[in-house]
Amino acid sequence: MTLKTSMLVAVLALASSAGALAQSGTLKIVSSLPRTGSANAQTGTIVNGIKMAINEVGGKIDGYEIVYEDWDDASPQRGNWDPTVEAQNANKAVTDSTIIGYIGTFNSGAAKIAMPELNKAGLVMISPANTYSGLTKPGMGEANEPMIYRPSGSINYFRVVPTDDLQGPVAAEHVAGSGAKKVFILHDRELYGKGIADVFQKRAKELGLEVAGFEGIDTKASNYKSLCQKIKFSKADAVFFGGTTQSNGGQVAKDLRSVGFTGMLVVPDGCREEAFIQAAGASNLEGNTFVTFGGLPPEQLTGRGAKFCEGYRTMFGTEPEAYAVYGYEAARVLLDAIKRASTKDRTAILKAVAETKDFDGALGTWSFDANGDTTNRVFSISSVKGGKFVFERRAGDAPAGGAKTE
Amino acid sequence: MEWVDFFLQQLITGLSNGMIIALIASGYTMVYGIIELINFAHGDLFMLGAFLALTVLGALGLGDWSGASAWAAVVIMLMASAGFCGVLNWGVDRLAYKPLRNASKLSLLVSAIGASFILVNLGLFWGGVPMDVFAGGVAAAAPKDFPALVPNTNLLGEESLVQFTPKDVLVWAVTVPLMVGLTWIVTRTRLGKAMRATAQNPVAARLMGIDTDRVIGATFLIGGALGGFASVIYSLYNNTISFQMGYRAGMDAFTAAVLGGIGSMPGAVTGALVIGLVRSMSDAYLETRWTNTIVFGILVLILIFRPSGLLGSRAKEKV
Amino acid sequence: MRRLPVPILAYFAIMAALPLVMGTTGLFYDAFQAIFVFSLVGLGLNVVTGFTGLLNLGMAAFMAIGAYAFAILTSDIYPFQIGFWWGILATVAIGAVAGFLLGAPTLGLSGDYLAIVTMGFGEITLDVLKNLEAVTKGTQGINPLPRPTFGSWSLDLQQERGWYWLLLGFVLLAVLAVRRLERSRSGRAWLSIREDALASQCMGIPPKRTKMIAFATGSALAALGGALFAALLSSTGEPASYDFQVSILALCIVIVGGMGSVAGTLVGAVVMVGMNSLVLVKLADWASAAGVGSASNVLASPNNWKYLIFGLALILVVRLKPDGLLPPRLEGGAS
């Protein structure tokens, strides 16, 4: 640096410290979601939600320009999230000092890889989709969880979605409440699907339901006719499937009906997307299929949530999928923290995110608790009618069995 | 006797699944028989056939398909997909395999892997076509529902616990004549003779005046067409298609071809039926999550005791 | 070292020096760490497929065995906790034993029958890892794993140069071992089996034992690659990280590089994995920075083109260089 330019810098620094100039600079937000392959449909809506939130503040906060980059944590070979790529993304984020927020991941398995790295760097991470309880809650997962994700000792990971340990029981209570006696539990052997099926099973037994079977499916199978026939012959009157559209939830629903199973089918929020109805065929889901979801569905949202839906429609020309609002909420909570912290400093922004209290969000008014989880425990149960998700009732925050249809 | 019903049901399901695998497997085994290539792209070609069938259905108009119009639509789709997959397979051979006829077998294999990646990607794009049958193409990667043109009514009566539906009939009615016809082509026609000659020794076949390039082209055409037929049958039976479905279908079919003795047509059918039945029985009586392990475990065991597959001939090793 | 041919020496000289001009961090390191891991797997497959002519479509399974063995032996949720270096050593041994166990009953199979048995083995391994949750933690993956330590100093993921050189060191060790084996009695037996199994048997070369040694060597190297892969991530990832696509990638590395050529394998890994984790990532970044990308149009998202580009590249490479980029005769080696 020559003497001249260094003087110039000094002058500028003086000027800004005198408050004559507004703060300036670029703050970068990145998201790390699987964008190659089958999860793309859901992550696309999350990315839209993030873009929308940034768009709403005009891409600027307190003179800082907010730049967003949409990173892919999948690889073409996998067609799904790839641990190597997720590790690369985490590393890339840590070493780029303009990055002040990491929105991700989609898969809880990917979070396990990124979390410790981002934690050491003190970079805030907000997940719009991870629901595996062990990531944040002590005693829910392995003995060493969640401390292994927090090598620095403090928390940097937050999520705007309620966890599996809350959603599974909601589904079990719904099954028991419907009068079913015998339930067959399926799961996709993934972290999310297996996790939620486990808690479902635990709660179902507590509620006195007979568990006719508990099986992991092969998500790449062409059909599940034999398995579904087994379910039919077991005389179960309800089936819970812990899994997603990607893990072949549509085919499971379809084959259950095609072998003549007429009982209730309950699926978790991983199936709450148009693609699930598309894959399963609307007529197969008609009437006796129920979906649990953390938060209220888009059309039931009031206030800010309703505004979000409207804005989404104008901006993207399509109805928001259930996941879009999580992306939007994750980005907004981060932007809100940036505004409060009003700095480029990662630590200060992290602190501001952690201090989020009574946030006026699209999903309602909520805060982050000491583990980094949302305090929002509202669940909703929807059914499928005429090829659309139809809101049935609120659940979760009300005592079991006491929730009434609204 | 509920357990009898249950067992009969598994037999029906297993055989129907096996038949579909057999159609795909015969495409593998034909190509392997003639140029010794494990055609990795075959499963993905099959996948594109299903996308074409759905597109054709969309172009015909999505209505309330029933009775004669539904069967007419099925025939149109079968023809369209068979033609499309046949020509596409022939084209893939021209572009990706033919230039490598004299290269090592493994370079050819890598070229097939490359072709497979390209076809998968085309399937992803295809899912994004803004048509009603693809749900407007908004979620390109999501699995697509394939309308149930063939009814799921129980031909054994609605009160019977065992289900035997027009879907099963369709699978059998298409697969069996095709396999018979194919065997006839390979064993009784001039083309079949030329194919067998080319398979045994391409140089000698050429010296005998056989246009081996044309014979190989014809093999790809027929093998592809079989994949096309299979794709429509598969789609009507399972009612879901996805751009990633070629992987498992291809792997099952390839395993079937090897299990039966690769290069042998009856072997491919036998292998496929075995795999279909084992999958059903394992899903029904054991645990679904172990099914794949059981299928491949049986494959390994059979190959250890019969190193050339169930119906493969031992003495065919080329020197 | 003195017996290493020029292309290999040049490779290591360039690779060792590259970090000096590439700064201390960045995409470059991520890509090359992956490249070195896959170089090890590729070197292993080159012994099996390149030298000995056995088509193995299940290398990912040996990587998985390596990664999980390493994790179980070193992670603090299990009682063993033998540390990074002992873990690596044990893993290599376990990989070799696994190769032996698969090879013993199956190596009598010819050509493509062996290929499908190895592919089946890959599928079985994935399912077992997924289903035996009590041991493998199912799809959760085992984490965290210990970092390599040198005395009191341990290597963190952020020390990208350190990891880079460490992995490069392992590749160098593997190259030296493979070169040594190639020139040994076993190595010459491999080549002769590949060229003419019947004739070599007549010359008194035991085909089965020769193939077994090749298989065990290849598996040990793949297991080493798997263990380092897991150590680098500090997690085994999920079992699906070692699926068929990974075996396919290993095969592409060996064939694109040049079958039977050690230098070719090294180059193949740079090209194949580099394309995957450097070129395609960069392309997507540029496109996204240029504002391309839309959720509603599948063609507009650069990520959706990755398969196509990768596939085209594979076809073009084998079309233009059917014997690989660096076939053995250009390598300057013995063969």
Side-chain angles (χ1 to χ4, degrees):
Chain A
M1 203 188 283
T2 64
L3 187 63
K4 228 178 190 175
T5 52
S6 66
M7 276 174 69
L8 190 67
V9 168
V11 169
L12 281 174
L14 265 176
S16 75
S17 68
L21 282 178
Q23 294 146 320
S24 65
T26 303
L27 297 182
K28 207 188 275 178
I29 298 173
V30 297
S31 67
S32 178
L33 305 163
R35 310 285 285 130
T36 307
S38 62
N40 176 301
Q42 278 163 314
T43 54
T45 65
I46 294 177
V47 168
N48 280 351
I50 298 171
K51 284 182 179 161
M52 197 178 143
I54 295 172
N55 202 38
E56 276 178 7
V57 297
K60 267 198 167 28
I61 289 180
D62 281 356
Y64 290 114
E65 196 193 342
I66 307 290
V67 177
Y68 167 62
E69 281 182 17
D70 165 16
W71 289 357
D72 187 2
D73 73 359
S75 64
Q77 281 71 33
R78 297 277 327 271
N80 208 334
W81 78 275
D82 183 328
T84 324
V85 184
E86 182 58 44
Q88 285 171 9
N89 283 353
N91 218 350
K92 204 159 76 169
V94 167
T95 47
D96 179 347
S97 62
T98 63
I99 294 177
I100 46 77
Y102 192 87
I103 298 179
T105 59
F106 185 74
N107 306 82
S108 297
K112 289 179 156 209
I113 289 172
M115 283 167 77
E117 297 311 319
L118 300 182
N119 182 277
K120 273 183 268 179
L123 177 58
V124 66
M125 172 174 182
I126 304 178
S127 170
N130 299 153
T131 54
Y132 172 63
S133 315
L135 295 178
T136 52
K137 298 186 174 175
M140 292 285 184
E142 293 297 319
N144 58 2
E145 284 176 332
M147 287 325 289
I148 46 168
Y149 308 120
R150 302 168 183 162
S152 74
S154 60
I155 290 176
N156 76 312
Y157 173 85
F158 303 87
R159 47 182 159 187
V160 295
V161 279
T163 48
D164 295 338
D165 60 303
L166 301 171
Q167 192 180 165
V170 165
E173 281 151 20
H174 182 75
V175 171
S178 74
K181 296 276 173 282
K182 199 170 182 183
V183 60
F184 205 108
I185 304 169
L186 299 176
H187 62 85
D188 61 4
R189 296 191 288 167
E190 302 290 331
L191 197 54
Y192 163 76
K194 170 78 171 27
I196 201 163
D198 278 336
V199 276
F200 177 95
Q201 169 163 257
K202 187 161 166 276
R203 185 75 183 124
K205 283 180 173 161
E206 281 169 13
L207 293 167
L209 283 164
E210 186 188 340
V211 176
F214 183 86
E215 282 210 38
I217 64 162
D218 171 0
T219 56
K220 290 190 176 118
S222 60
N223 63 54
Y224 302 99
K225 288 194 200 303
S226 292
L227 175 64
C228 292
Q229 283 148 2
K230 178 157 78 179
I231 294 171
K232 184 176 82 168
F233 277 77
S234 80
K235 305 221 164 51
D237 40 21
V239 170
F240 177 76
F241 172 67
T244 63
T245 317
Q246 278 69 51
S247 57
N248 233 350
Q251 190 71 41
V252 169
K254 192 172 279 179
D255 286 330
L256 273 172
R257 298 309 178 205
S258 85
V259 303
F261 173 80
T262 51
M264 168 193 274
L265 169 66
V266 181
V267 293
D269 65 341
C271 293
R272 204 195 184 285
E273 51 170 345
E274 293 295 325
F276 174 67
I277 300 182
Q278 228 279 308
S283 62
N284 293 313
L285 301 177
E286 188 71 27
N288 217 4
T289 302
F290 297 89
V291 191
T292 56
F293 177 67
L296 293 173
E299 77 280 359
Q300 288 291 318
L301 295 171
T302 51
R304 188 160 279 291
K307 256 194 270 168
F308 159 75
C309 294
E310 206 176 296
Y312 191 96
R313 265 178 239 123
T314 339
M315 193 164 167
F316 302 106
T318 52
E319 285 293 314
E321 291 269 7
Y323 272 91
V325 71
Y326 291 137
Y328 176 75
E329 199 81 330
R332 274 196 66 235
V333 100
L334 181 58
L335 293 171
D336 177 67
I338 294 172
K339 194 169 172 60
R340 277 184 285 125
S342 188
T343 166
K344 298 178 79 151
D345 180 38
R346 279 179 180 176
T347 325
I349 292 171
L350 169 58
K351 195 161 156 276
V353 171
E355 282 165 355
T356 299
K357 270 266 168 310
D358 301 324
F359 181 70
D360 175 27
L363 292 165
T365 304
W366 54 271
S367 317
F368 281 127
D369 70 11
N371 288 326
D373 282 314
T374 171
T375 54
N376 184 13
R377 293 178 166 215
V378 178
F379 282 86
S380 61
I381 291 173
S382 304
S383 63
V384 179
K385 289 194 181 106
K388 292 264 171 280
F389 290 110
V390 176
F391 175 73
E392 290 277 328
R393 63 184 181 87
R394 271 169 87 107
D397 54 346
K404 58 177 193 300
T405 308
E406 288 180 354
Chain B
M1 294 299 260
E2 206 172 289
W3 69 269
V4 179
D5 286 350
F6 188 56
F7 181 75
L8 284 175
Q9 181 69 75
Q10 299 316 322
L11 272 185
I12 295 172
T13 307
L15 286 177
S16 292
N17 276 324
M19 277 288 159
I20 298 170
I21 300 173
L23 271 181
I24 314 171
S26 51
Y28 267 108
T29 223
M30 281 185 79
V31 166
Y32 186 88
I34 204 150
I35 57 170
E36 292 199 345
L37 163 70
I38 302 171
N39 187 4
F40 265 97
H42 193 73
D44 304 306
L45 180 90
F46 154 86
M47 174 272 296
L48 288 182
F51 274 81
L52 181 93
L54 190 52
T55 310
V56 167
L57 198 60
L60 290 174
L62 264 185
D64 196 13
W65 295 101
S66 60
S69 67
W71 290 107
V74 169
V75 173
I76 294 172
M77 283 191 297
L78 280 170
M79 293 304 139
S81 285
F84 170 74
C85 287
V87 172
L88 185 61
N89 209 26
W90 178 84
V92 170
D93 173 50
R94 284 279 132 156
L95 294 174
Y97 309 152
K98 189 159 180 266
L100 296 170
R101 285 283 194 260
N102 296 321
S104 82
K105 255 175 74 179
L106 286 174
S107 312
L108 198 57
L109 190 67
V110 169
S111 206
I113 292 167
S116 153
F117 277 124
I118 293 175
L119 297 185
V120 167
N121 210 145
L122 293 180
L124 174 64
F125 288 160
W126 204 329
V129 172
M131 284 176 76
D132 279 350
V133 283
F134 295 114
V138 179
K144 316 289 173 201
D145 181 47
F146 199 98
L149 293 192
V150 183
N152 197 41
T153 45
N154 194 349
L155 299 175
L156 303 177
E158 282 308 317
E159 63 286 349
S160 164
L161 267 179
V162 183
Q163 266 193 324
F164 184 71
T165 69
K167 284 183 178 180
D168 297 296
V169 176
L170 174 82
V171 170
W172 288 76
V174 173
T175 307
V176 175
L178 276 177
M179 293 328 287
V180 172
L182 189 66
T183 313
W184 178 78
I185 290 180
V186 173
T187 54
R188 295 274 184 272
T189 62
R190 264 184 83 82
L191 176 65
K193 212 174 203 176
M195 280 176 175
R196 282 178 290 139
T198 311
Q200 289 232 316
N201 190 334
V203 180
R206 219 170 299 135
L207 289 174
M208 292 294 141
I210 294 173
D211 184 349
T212 49
D213 277 339
R214 268 190 62 189
V215 171
I216 294 173
T219 309
F220 271 92
L221 199 71
I222 298 173
L226 287 170
F229 283 120
S231 71
V232 178
I233 300 297
Y234 174 101
S235 309
L236 289 169
Y237 187 73
N238 294 318
N239 299 108
T240 313
I241 65 172
S242 121
F243 78 103
Q244 287 168 317
M245 74 192 214
Y247 171 71
R248 173 52 62 80
M251 186 175 269
D252 269 354
F254 176 48
T255 309
V258 173
L259 186 61
I262 195 153
S264 148
M265 204 64 70
V269 177
T270 314
L273 293 182
V274 168
I275 287 181
L277 284 171
V278 168
R279 278 201 182 284
S280 269
M281 295 301 165
S282 165
D283 279 359
Y285 293 101
L286 304 165
E287 275 190 87
T288 318
R289 61 184 182 143
W290 289 110
T291 297
N292 235 8
T293 305
I294 291 166
V295 167
F296 286 106
I298 288 179
L299 171 87
V300 173
L301 283 180
I302 289 185
L303 288 184
I304 288 172
F305 293 108
R306 285 196 61 93
S308 303
L310 290 170
L311 303 184
S313 52
R314 276 154 194 273
K316 244 178 124 182
E317 181 87 356
K318 278 187 197 178
V319 183
Chain C
M1 286 289 266
R2 68 196 149 81
R3 274 190 292 176
L4 285 179
V6 178
I8 296 183
L9 282 175
Y11 170 90
F12 281 105
I14 294 170
M15 288 300 160
L18 264 180
L20 303 176
V21 293
M22 295 306 292
T24 54
T25 183
L27 187 58
F28 164 82
Y29 289 98
D30 299 323
F32 272 83
Q33 285 159 0
I35 285 171
F36 294 148
V37 165
F38 275 97
S39 298
L40 290 168
V41 182
L43 285 169
L45 186 61
N46 186 46
V47 169
V48 178
T49 304
F51 291 162
T52 323
L54 305 167
L55 181 53
N56 184 336
L57 295 177
M59 284 312 261
F62 295 107
M63 254 185 103
I65 289 171
Y68 275 88
F70 176 77
I72 290 170
L73 289 173
T74 59
S75 160
D76 57 11
I77 57 175
Y78 290 102
F80 312 104
Q81 299 176 24
I82 61 175
F84 179 86
W85 296 104
W86 285 111
I88 291 287
L89 266 180
T91 300
V92 172
I94 290 170
V97 171
F100 244 93
L101 289 181
L102 177 66
T106 58
L107 281 173
L109 295 171
S110 59
D112 294 322
Y113 288 97
L114 179 67
I116 195 163
V117 165
T118 53
M119 183 182 93
F121 178 69
E123 292 292 305
I124 291 175
T125 306
L126 282 192
D127 262 355
V128 169
L129 289 177
K130 238 183 190 183
N131 290 344
L132 289 185
E133 285 160 44
V135 183
T136 62
K137 305 293 164 209
T139 40
Q140 298 205 25
I142 302 172
N143 57 331
L145 304 179
R147 302 296 189 188
T149 48
F150 303 89
S152 62
W153 185 70
S154 89
L155 198 53
D156 235 15
L157 183 60
Q158 261 79 44
Q159 283 146 314
E160 301 194 73
R161 276 183 171 181
W163 270 104
Y164 178 99
W165 278 318
L166 177 75
L167 292 172
L168 184 63
F170 274 110
V171 175
L172 178 63
L173 281 177
V175 165
L176 291 174
V178 167
R179 295 278 308 174
R180 204 183 160 86
L181 274 169
E182 188 189 359
R183 280 133 190 279
S184 71
R185 198 183 158 83
S186 298
R188 289 190 299 270
W190 292 339
L191 299 182
S192 76
I193 289 258
R194 179 188 72 189
E195 292 307 322
D196 194 330
L198 195 63
S200 60
Q201 204 173 344
C202 296
M203 302 298 284
I205 293 171
K208 192 138 185 200
R209 210 182 74 196
T210 307
K211 287 180 184 175
M212 293 262 273
I213 295 173
F215 224 67
T217 309
S219 310
L221 284 173
L224 173 64
L228 291 169
F229 173 82
L232 185 59
L233 285 176
S234 190
S235 163
T236 56
E238 52 172 356
S241 317
Y242 312 92
D243 64 5
F244 188 57
Q245 304 289 357
V246 172
S247 299
I248 290 296
L249 182 62
L251 185 68
C252 292
I253 288 171
V254 171
I255 296 172
V256 165
M259 278 238 294
S261 155
V262 170
T265 303
L266 298 175
V267 172
V270 174
V271 172
M272 287 285 104
V273 183
M275 181 158 69
N276 200 15
S277 34
L278 213 55
V279 180
L280 290 180
V281 172
K282 271 282 167 220
L283 277 178
D285 281 358
W286 285 331
S288 131
V292 183
S294 141
S296 54
N297 185 350
V298 61
L299 292 175
S301 169
N303 291 314
N304 288 341
W305 290 82
K306 284 182 180 174
Y307 280 113
L308 193 81
I309 297 170
F310 196 79
L312 269 179
L314 277 182
I315 292 182
L316 281 178
V317 169
V318 289
R319 172 90 173 254
L320 300 174
K321 290 261 178 196
D323 294 327
L325 297 169
L326 210 59
R329 68 192 142 76
L330 291 181
E331 185 190 19
S335 44

